[in-house]
Amino acid sequence: MSTAPGSLEAKRGITAARRPRSAFPGFRARREKGQTLAIAALVLPVMLGMGALAVDVGHLYVARTALQNAADAGAMAGAGALASS
């Protein structure tokens, strides 16, 4: 087995005997087929959960601010009523 005269392997001096070969050609390609789908199936629920958590925490802060504003308004109204009586 020889390489073509103008090929990259010929320029680098790699012959067929020196080229590294897998013990099981094609095994890795068959084994890794569909890995993207499996990884996406595992990562997608995690990402959706993180997004839902971010929305819930944002809602928590908005509700807390609204409750604090209501408590402050009630305290100011009570202080005003006590001061005028």
Side-chain angles (χ1 to χ4, degrees), residues 18-43:
R18 292 177 50 198
R19 186 179 311 130
R21 298 258 181 202
S22 172
F24 304 102
F27 178 71
R28 181 176 178 163
R30 279 184 274 129
R31 186 183 64 201
E32 292 184 0
K33 194 172 187 176
Q35 289 292 326
T36 304
L37 182 62
I39 291 171
L42 293 174
V43 170

Side-chain angles (χ1 to χ4, degrees), residues 2-74:
S2 64
T3 59
S7 70
L8 183 62
E9 293 171 341
K11 291 178 185 176
R12 291 185 179 171
I14 298 174
T15 61
R18 292 177 50 198
R19 186 179 311 130
R21 298 258 181 202
S22 172
F24 304 102
F27 178 71
R28 181 176 178 163
R30 279 184 274 129
R31 186 183 64 201
E32 292 184 0
K33 194 172 187 176
Q35 289 292 326
T36 304
L37 182 62
I39 291 171
L42 293 174
V43 170
L44 186 63
V46 173
M47 296 297 282
L48 288 174
M50 289 172 60
L53 181 65
V55 169
D56 286 344
V57 169
H59 184 266
L60 177 71
Y61 280 115
V62 168
R64 181 175 179 240
T65 302
L67 288 172
Q68 186 65 49
N69 287 340
D72 290 345

